[in-house]
Amino acid sequence: MDVKVINAMLKSLVKVFNETIHSRVELDKPEISKELAKGYDLVTVVGYNGYMEGNLVYGFTSELGMSIVSSMMGMPYDKLDDLAMSAIGELGNMVSGNIAMNLEKIGKPIDITPPSVIFGKEIHVNVDGLILKIPAHLDKFTFEVNMVMRE
Amino acid sequence: MDVKVINAMLKSLVKVFNETIHSRVELDKPEISKELAKGYDLVTVVGYNGYMEGNLVYGFTSELGMSIVSSMMGMPYDKLDDLAMSAIGELGNMVSGNIAMNLEKIGKPIDITPPSVIFGKEIHVNVDGLILKIPAHLDKFTFEVNMVMRE
């Protein structure tokens, strides 16, 4: 795993969360994994291809999702309706777009696809490839950002 | 909506299901929609970009998922574990790859991303764009194939 790829992700996460929801995200040490965590309520998937190919997978709880949507909209928002899911998708799109920009700077250009936002219960996402997992914290919540790379 | 795009999807669905699980899939009339159906247990998402960009979204019930996996493996399979989800993802990958090939033939080339397979309860997928929805039947089961195109 190229440390420059990891740094591209870390920089984008901090920058986009800071600019979009005006909250400082705290990141734990990145891990390499073969499996995504299970049990999220809200998952954003953004595919990518180009120099590398795979998916960026963002896993949130509904509580964090509503907190993020409230910050993005500038008003309390307490249900995950279509508008809220679109906002969560747009956040995934912005982070992923910023990651793509940082990867281009280091000579690893990728194209990203539009986001899909999945809401449900006991969600398990199966992907094929090596997973770069970044555990993250926002206020009292934790979430995960995963870059899945097909080998 | 270009009728050639619709035909590319229809042809790929029939061909790949026929070759992979040796079952004839029956397709209903395609519809244009702004929303994906809710309540699936098993959803495969394959992103694409190029001439058009968006996502191919396949929605199944777990019963149909297990029936498909049993056909693909050539033996009864009654749980949706990681192996089964990988098989479902591979089917989505094959159908999507075939659609890409048919779109290239009509001068609308796209690149597809690796599949993500989402398993959970009461799944709702939110996407941004126009949806070409193809209701399909396989034996006693129904499922849906959706091509979401960002406008």
Side-chain angles (χ1 to χ4, degrees), chain A residues 35 45 47-49 54-55 82 85-86 111-127 150, chain B residues 35 45 47-49 54-55 82 85-86 111-127 150:
Chain A
E35 272 208 340
V45 178
Y48 64 90
N49 47 31
N55 291 285
D82 281 322
M85 286 171 75
S86 289
D111 284 317
I112 61 167
T113 66
S116 296
V117 182
I118 299 108
F119 177 53
K121 291 179 185 157
E122 298 164 40
I123 293 180
H124 174 194
V125 184
N126 178 283
V127 287
R150 186 138 74 175
Chain B
E35 271 208 340
V45 178
Y48 64 89
N49 47 33
N55 291 285
D82 280 321
M85 287 173 74
S86 288
D111 284 317
I112 61 167
T113 66
S116 296
V117 183
I118 299 109
F119 177 53
K121 291 180 185 153
E122 298 164 39
I123 292 179
H124 174 195
V125 183
N126 177 282
V127 287
R150 186 138 72 176

Side-chain angles (χ1 to χ4, degrees), chain B residues 60-118:
Chain B
F60 306 106
T61 58
S62 357
E63 289 71 25
L64 175 55
M66 287 182 287
S67 168
I68 289 174
V69 173
S70 301
S71 300
M72 288 177 83
M73 307 238 184
M75 59 177 181
Y77 213 88
D78 64 359
K79 57 180 191 298
L80 283 171
D81 56 9
D82 280 321
L83 187 63
M85 287 173 74
S86 288
I88 293 289
E90 184 49 28
L91 178 66
N93 186 45
M94 284 187 287
V95 174
S96 306
N98 203 275
I99 292 172
M101 204 182 68
N102 285 333
L103 290 177
E104 184 153 15
K105 285 183 193 157
I106 58 164
K108 296 182 191 293
I110 57 168
D111 284 317
I112 61 167
T113 66
S116 296
V117 183
I118 299 109

